[in-house]
Amino acid sequence: MSKAVTAALLSAFICPGSGHFYLKRHNTGTLLSCISLTGLVYLLYYAVQQAQSVADRILSGELPLDMDLIYQQVTQTPAGSSALWINIATYAFVISWIVGIVDAYRIGKQQAEN
């Protein structure tokens, strides 16, 4: 398997930026990893916060133990600035992942030609 394919697969299936580490491009790998992991951490934080809010409402008796109501509350679209930050985090995560795959493949091809 060529270096380009290996680097692209590492970035695709392990973590964005891991292919760059494999190709000895540590600065770019660190940047891509930090961007994608920051977006992922924010999304996970929001999901846990939302789940905790619903759980607190169930425990207080405000929300009955009805699966349809709970599902509706958990999947409720965020409002205001939360929606903006969730979109930014999602785009940062997805774009850094795609850029990581494509750029790792491109750099691997360049290194193979030299």
Side-chain angles (χ1 to χ4, degrees):
M1 189 178 318
S2 70
K3 277 183 114 174
V5 172
T6 302
L9 289 174
L10 284 170
S11 286
F13 294 116
I14 303 298
C15 178
S18 60
H20 288 82
F21 288 113
Y22 173 74
L23 297 171
K24 309 291 188 235
R25 300 289 177 116
H26 301 298
N27 291 338
T28 307
T30 302
L31 178 66
L32 287 169
S33 294
C34 286
I35 291 171
S36 64
L37 292 177
T38 300
L40 181 61
V41 165
Y42 182 79
L43 292 171
L44 290 174
Y45 171 78
Y46 181 79
V48 168
Q49 186 180 29
Q50 185 76 8
Q52 186 65 43
S53 172
V54 170
D56 289 342
R57 290 177 59 206
I58 291 170
L59 290 175
S60 71
E62 182 182 334
L63 189 63
L65 279 175
D66 179 17
M67 289 303 286
D68 291 331
L69 279 174
I70 294 170
Y71 179 77
Q72 188 179 47
Q73 292 297 312
V74 169
T75 60
Q76 187 176 27
T77 305
S81 65
S82 292
L84 173 67
W85 287 111
I86 288 172
N87 286 336
I88 290 171
T90 303
Y91 289 135
F93 179 70
V94 171
I95 289 171
S96 66
W97 202 300
I98 292 169
V99 166
I101 295 168
V102 172
D103 194 46
Y105 184 80
R106 182 187 63 82
I107 292 170
K109 278 289 197 188
Q110 284 178 350
Q111 286 182 359
E113 291 173 359
N114 294 336

